[in-house]
Structures are given as C-alpha cells and as structure tokens.
Amino acid sequence: MSGSHHFHSHSKTIKPHSQSGVDPSLHAHKKGDARHSHTKQVSNQNLILIALVLTLGFSGVEGAAAYFANSLALISDAGHMVTDAAALGLALLAQIIARRPPSPKHSFGFGRAEALAAFVNSIAMLALVLWIVIEAISRFANPHKVDGLTVTVVAAIGLLMNVVVAWVLSRDTKSVNTRAALVHVMGDLLGSVAALIAGVVIQLTGWMPIDAILSILVSLLILKSTISILHESYHFLMEGVPLHIDYLAVGRDLKAVPGVLAVHDLHVWEMTPSFPALIGHIEISVMQEWPSIMAKINAMLLDKHGIDHVTLQPEEVGQDEHDHEHDDHGLNAQEKPTTFLHQGDTFYVQCSSGESEHRMAYHVWGDPTNPKVLLCVHGLTRRGSDFKTLAQAMCKDYYVVCPDIVGRGESDRLSNPMLYAVPQYVADIAQLIKKLGVSQVDWLGTSMGGLIGMVYAAMPNCPIQKMLINDVGPRIEPEALKRLGSYVGQPFVFANRADALERLNKICASFGEHTPQEWEIYNGPMLIQKDEQWIMHYDPNISVPFASVNPIMAKAGEMAMWHAFKQIRIPMLIVRGGDSDLLSAATVAEMCKINPYARSIEIPHVGHAPAFVKPEQIALAKEFFS
C-alpha cells in the first residue's frame, strides 16, 4: 500500500493553483491578517476614467478655439489640459496595475504603482509650473494680442467642465494617486478662471499684462498642493512611517502590553497606500505565554494605531539573536544553551469527574517551549501511542501532545462508567490545555477523537485553530456500530503476546495494509500483561455507555452533533478511508455542504480509520497543518 495512495479532494472550497504556478494559500489572509479590499480601487478607476474622457475631449475643443482666436493663454491652457489628460491616463494605468494579484516575484502585489504614478505626476506638475512662470515673465516684455471674446467664452465653458471633473475626483480623497490627479485638475480649473478673468479684462481695457500676472498667481497656488503630494508619495516610496502614525507611541504602547519586557528591531511602513504594516522583535519571559500576548498586541495595534498587518518574532529573555557569531569570539559550543526535546515522555494532569478526581496521562514529543501545539486524540479503544510515528515526524514544527483519554492507557479508570462519554473527555482536554499554558492548539482527532474535537471546537472561545477529522462525522453508520459492539468491552485474554497481537491485528485490519513492524509499533502498546495474561489496555467498562444507547438516543445524539458541526468556524480537513464503514461518502459531502470551513480528502483502499503511520498520510497531515 505504501506509495500507492491517491488523494481525492471533494471540497468546493479548495481552488487549484493558478496557471502562473502561484499557490493561492500563500497570499490568503486569515484571522488577524490585513484584509485588502479591491472594491474601492474599482471605484477609483471609474472616477479617473470619467475625468480623463472629459479633460481630453475638451482640450481638443480649447486647442481649436485658441488657434482661431490667436490666444496664447488658451493655447497654454489647452496644453495644460493635455498634460493633465496624460497625468490622468498615468493614474488610470496605475490603478489597473495596482489591482493585479500578487505573484511569485511581487508577493505584496502592485499597490505601490499608485504612489509611483502620483510621484511622477507631481514631478511633471513642477515642470509645468516652471514653464508657466518663465512664459509669463517673457510676456511682460512681449505682450500678445488676443481675441478677448473668444477667450472669455471658451474659458467659461472650460471652467464649467473642470468643476465637473474636480467634483468627480473629489469623491475619493484617500487615494494619494487620485489626489495627485485632482491637483492637475485644480490647476486646470484655476487656469480656466485666470483665462476667463484675462479675457474679460482684455475685452474691457485691452491691458495684455493681466494674462501673465494671473498665470504666475495660479502657478504659485498649484505649487503648494504639488509639493504636498510629492512629499507624501516620496515618503511612501521610501517606506517611511505612515504620516498618521506616531512611531514612538507605537513602541511605548507595545512595551506597555502585559508580558512584554522589551521591543527592538521595530519597523512600521505601508505595504500599499492606506495599509500600514509592522514588524519587530518582542522579548518575553515565558515562551508559552506568547499566543495570549500576541492576541493582546494585535488588538491594541488595531484599536489605537489602525495597524492590522503585524509580524512579530518572540524572544525569551537572554536569547541573543546573534548567537551564531559567538564562536568567532572564542566561546565554547558547550556554553551555548540547548533546548530539551521530549521523545514520548509521559506526564499527568489532574482532572475532575463528578465529585471525584482522576489523572489523565499524556505523551509529548518536541520542544515544550514551542507555542505551536498539536493535540492528537485517539479513537474509542485506542491510546495516545497511536500517534508516535506522526509525532516524531511533526515534532520539529510542533510540540505534539497525545493524551490517553481517561479509561485508556496509563490514565486512571473511572468508578462511574457512565462518565465515559464526550462531555467528560472535553472537560479533561480543556484541563490539559490549561496546564500546557497555551491559548491556541491544532487538533488531529481519529474517530472518537474527531467527535471530541467537533464538540470542543463548537464551544465559545475554543482554542482550536485547525482541525483534521480522521474518518468520523456527525452520522455514524449502523453497520459500524454493530462491528464496534462485537469487540468493544468483550473478553480479550491470551496466554502469549503473539496470539494477542495477531487477534488485535485482525480486529484492526480495516486500518489498512501494514508491515509486521508497523503493526508492532501501532498495536503493540495496546497490549498489557496482567496476572500472566495478555489483555487490552483499556477499562472494559468504556463499553457501558456505548451499549446503553438506544435508537432514540442515537438519533438525538446525531442531531446534536450536526448542530455542533455547523457552529465550527475554523479550517477543517475531513479524511475518509475509501472503504470506511463508519463515515459514508454521503455524510462527508453533507459536512462540506453545510460548513464552508470544511474540505475533504479520501484515501482509497483503507477502511476505518487511516492510521497515519504511512509516509503519504503523514505528509497529508503536514501539508494541512503547515
């Protein structure tokens, strides 16, 4: 079976990679990430397109009128409008480029094209202002005779048109690119006013220098706005701190967050206009507190400074980010601190069951200071050792925690067998997570472990962030219940271990084809020796609640599970064995239909349930949790 599995996705929520080879998940935003909306960009684009059509159209009319009136003022204004049309076209092109999605070479997208266009527009406007001033000064020495009436009429029409264009563009004042275009249009508007006044004065008095004087006045007004836009776009392109954000105040507020000891390497900038981002290093005393500290930081930065794209690296006190340089200064490698890694070590957590208490055992792999915790929860008659192979593969990225649910493995037995039920299991898991001191976990649950996860994930303030549900759903097929009832809690006593293991392997045959070595790793820990007899590791009384369920109770339980599943709002991967008798393909399809957060994968030639000891199954878990 190894190397021959094919994985089939049945989810409508998974989209294939684009033709450019970009993995869309790399650019996807999750909870807490910045949400970049393109709706406003489309609106900006339409506004600029309207302004472009109006400006370019009237510049042709004004140019023709200037030719027949022999008016340099109108020719200048028409040239000004052509320049503005070019600026608006550049702004429109920038809007189109900015809407392009991220690519392998531009992971932030092309939002900076907008600021680049504003910067170029401002430079062009400075050149235009300089030309107007030089031309106006030359006219003092050589006044030009113009047709005042034509200038007046055309300038009045131009003024009306520019008012309309300015009003269209003023509907968006947040975009630096649109505001740069608006400066050009305001220059047109003021130019039309100046031309109108010049036409009236020339008509009434014949005094030609009025044209040059008004041109210089308009240029000075335009210059002020142009410098403002130029400064803002330059500041953005140089990745300066957003003008509305106080960098020092951000640093002070970060240090004031409970649990933060120090802040360094702090940088604040804008990835695209109006979308500030922050990166930095945060020193804390206990690494396990990081998830809760990060949640507080995210809330503070969004509420006080409007920053919602945050990347922070936690560091424990005393940790030197330049440790790799120490050898160059004569330090012995043995002096460097090392992290203790667990390899299946067993610990216990004290839990409550009614008026009594019990201990739940859990086995751990990896770095206990790693804030990324993967909780692996086993099936009805199994134990935490099921996940040994998976945990060894995942412990570089996760602190993997595999509990023995009460009544199994090394956990205590309950005096009241009716407490062997999901509510008790959820309460015990919550106590375990509390002891671990983390606020977020990922979850892999096989069969009963998947049911526990679904109930827990539907509860308010649940710490589960991602969940892999291994071959179980709200509806359990009747044939599977009969099969489980044929061996759960039934006599299982053998004089020698080999016979016991052979029998257990037959019971678990639906898990898939495995080598003798794999069966030993997977099923060996299920057997314990007592009074020179080999028996199962679990309390036979776990079958009492299972056997007491009647059809009415089963239907009520199924309805409750469907209700719980609908409430879950985290990414879920439903793994189904292609030959599973417990989870039907129809149930999987319904799960994916009623909950958009779920997707599914089917593993052919495996029944209930995939054991996650095969490399291809482990790779599947790694991909989902990465």
Side-chain angles (χ1 to χ4, degrees):
M1 176 178 171
S2 179
S4 65
H5 284 183
H6 303 280
F7 301 104
H8 305 284
S9 173
H10 296 282
S11 170
K12 295 182 180 179
T13 62
I14 296 298
K15 297 181 179 179
H17 291 181
S18 66
Q19 294 180 354
S20 63
V22 186
D23 184 349
S25 65
L26 296 178
H27 303 290
H29 296 285
K30 298 184 177 180
K31 182 178 181 181
D33 295 344
R35 263 53 172 181
H36 298 193
S37 172
H38 296 293
T39 303
K40 184 172 180 59
Q41 293 179 1
V42 174
S43 177
N44 295 348
Q45 180 180 326
N46 292 336
L47 295 178
I48 294 177
L49 179 60
I50 294 172
L52 172 62
V53 171
L54 292 175
T55 303
L56 189 60
F58 189 77
S59 64
V61 174
E62 190 172 33
Y67 175 78
F68 290 109
N70 194 30
S71 169
L72 183 58
L74 284 183
I75 291 176
S76 299
D77 194 42
H80 188 185
M81 294 190 73
V82 170
T83 304
D84 287 353
L88 288 168
L90 184 60
L92 180 61
L93 178 62
Q95 290 283 8
I96 295 173
I97 294 175
R99 290 183 60 210
R100 293 176 60 188
S103 72
K105 293 184 178 180
H106 300 88
S107 62
F108 279 134
F110 297 82
R112 287 180 178 265
E114 187 177 354
L116 182 61
F119 183 78
V120 173
N121 282 352
S122 298
I123 294 295
M125 202 65 192
L126 287 178
L128 182 61
V129 167
L130 179 62
W131 179 83
I132 291 175
V133 171
I134 294 174
E135 180 67 17
I137 292 174
S138 69
R139 289 192 180 189
F140 285 118
N142 301 295
H144 292 265
K145 184 177 181 181
V146 297
D147 184 344
L149 178 61
T150 302
V151 171
T152 301
V153 173
V154 175
I157 298 174
L159 176 62
L160 179 61
M161 189 277 301
N162 281 315
V163 168
V164 173
V165 173
W167 176 80
V168 169
L169 293 178
S170 67
R171 297 177 64 185
D172 172 37
T173 59
K174 292 185 178 181
S175 168
V176 66
N177 189 35
T178 306
R179 285 192 289 124
L182 181 59
V183 168
H184 279 269
V185 174
M186 292 304 295
D188 274 340
L189 193 151
L190 293 174
S192 296
V193 171
L196 179 61
I197 295 175
V200 172
V201 170
I202 291 172
Q203 264 189 290
L204 298 177
T205 67
W207 190 50
M208 299 302 174
I210 186 65
D211 178 68
I213 295 173
L214 291 178
S215 296
I216 293 175
L217 178 61
V218 170
S219 297
L220 294 177
L221 293 176
I222 296 173
L223 183 63
K224 180 180 179 181
S225 297
T226 300
I227 291 176
S228 175
I229 294 294
L230 183 64
H231 173 263
E232 186 174 341
S233 57
Y234 172 81
H235 185 78
F236 172 81
L237 292 172
M238 295 302 294
E239 297 189 337
V241 176
L243 298 176
H244 66 283
I245 293 177
D246 187 334
Y247 173 82
L248 297 178
V250 171
R252 289 193 298 268
D253 290 339
L254 282 172
K255 293 178 182 178
V257 173
V260 175
L261 302 180
V263 180
H264 62 94
D265 289 347
L266 181 65
H267 303 279
V268 183
W269 81 105
E270 284 183 300
M271 298 186 301
T272 58
S274 303
F275 290 109
L278 177 147
I279 62 173
H281 292 220
I282 302 292
E283 292 186 13
I284 58 178
S285 58
V286 181
M287 187 60 70
Q288 289 182 336
E289 297 178 355
W290 175 241
S292 61
I293 294 173
M294 186 64 187
K296 296 174 185 176
I297 289 175
N298 281 333
M300 180 276 293
L301 289 174
L302 183 59
D303 294 341
K304 297 189 67 172
H305 302 284
I307 303 174
D308 69 345
H309 204 293
V310 179
T311 304
L312 292 173
Q313 177 177 323
E315 297 175 354
E316 287 188 282
V317 174
Q319 181 182 6
D320 189 346
E321 63 181 349
H322 304 294
D323 278 346
H324 61 279
E325 299 176 355
H326 287 179
D327 286 340
D328 296 335
H329 295 82
L331 287 183
N332 192 311
Q334 294 180 350
E335 299 176 11
K336 296 181 180 181
T338 57
T339 302
F340 179 74
L341 300 180
H342 291 297
Q343 287 295 332
D345 299 306
T346 302
F347 298 92
Y348 296 87
V349 58
Q350 200 73 19
C351 304
S352 298
S353 49
E355 297 180 356
S356 61
E357 293 188 343
H358 63 271
R359 294 190 315 164
M360 182 173 70
Y362 60 97
H363 317 282
V364 294
W365 284 261
D367 181 0
T369 65
N370 189 344
K372 295 179 61 179
V373 175
L374 176 62
L375 209 59
C376 300
V377 186
H378 58 75
L380 180 64
T381 63
R382 307 298 299 181
R383 60 179 298 183
S385 59
D386 278 8
F387 302 103
K388 177 181 178 180
T389 304
L390 175 68
Q392 290 173 337
M394 300 285 288
C395 66
K396 291 183 179 180
D397 301 316
Y398 277 91
Y399 184 47
V400 186
V401 180
C402 307
D404 289 340
I405 295 300
V406 64
R408 288 89 169 167
E410 298 183 41
S411 294
D412 291 344
R413 275 47 174 163
L414 297 178
S415 57
N416 181 0
M418 295 306 294
L419 292 177
Y420 287 131
V422 170
Q424 180 66 58
Y425 304 152
V426 170
D428 291 353
I429 292 293
Q431 191 65 26
L432 171 59
I433 293 175
K434 182 178 180 181
K435 181 177 180 180
L436 294 175
V438 295
S439 60
Q440 297 180 350
V441 298
D442 288 340
W443 185 286
L444 190 155
T446 295
S447 194
M448 180 188 72
L451 295 177
I452 298 171
M454 283 188 278
V455 172
Y456 194 20
M459 297 172 63
N461 303 316
C462 173
I464 302 177
Q465 301 299 300
K466 274 187 173 184
M467 183 162 60
L468 189 155
I469 303 172
N470 186 18
D471 209 67
V472 73
R475 180 187 299 118
I476 298 176
E477 298 302 313
E479 289 301 318
L481 293 176
K482 291 180 182 179
R483 178 177 56 81
L484 292 171
S486 69
Y487 67 84
V488 176
Q490 299 301 315
F492 187 99
V493 182
F494 291 85
N496 63 74
R497 187 176 184 277
D499 292 341
L501 183 59
E502 182 181 0
R503 169 58 180 156
L504 182 56
N505 290 349
K506 290 180 179 179
I507 292 175
C508 301
S510 66
F511 294 176
E513 298 179 4
H514 297 286
T515 65
Q517 293 78 12
E518 289 172 336
W519 279 124
E520 176 60 42
I521 294 172
Y522 191 60
N523 273 343
M526 301 297 112
L527 304 173
I528 61 174
Q529 191 174 29
K530 183 178 182 181
D531 299 330
E532 298 184 356
Q533 300 288 326
W534 289 94
I535 63 174
M536 292 291 284
H537 68 95
Y538 62 83
D539 182 356
N541 284 329
I542 66 171
S543 65
V544 173
F546 181 79
S548 66
V549 175
N550 58 45
I552 296 177
M553 294 172 61
K555 190 62 179 179
E558 179 183 328
M559 293 175 62
M561 286 303 303
W562 279 117
H563 177 75
F565 183 76
K566 291 178 183 179
Q567 311 309 311
I568 301 174
R569 295 293 183 269
I570 58 172
M572 291 178 286
L573 176 63
I574 304 165
V575 177
R576 178 181 183 267
D579 301 327
S580 175
D581 64 345
L582 188 142
L583 178 64
S584 69
T587 298
V588 172
E590 189 172 351
M591 293 170 73
C592 293
K593 180 179 179 180
I594 68 171
N595 193 318
Y597 291 84
R599 63 185 179 97
S600 69
I601 286 180
E602 186 172 286
I603 303 178
H605 313 304
V606 177
H608 177 76
F612 279 88
V613 296
K614 294 290 187 182
E616 58 267 35
Q617 295 177 19
I618 293 174
L620 173 65
K622 277 189 170 184
E623 180 183 1
F624 175 66
F625 288 117
S626 64

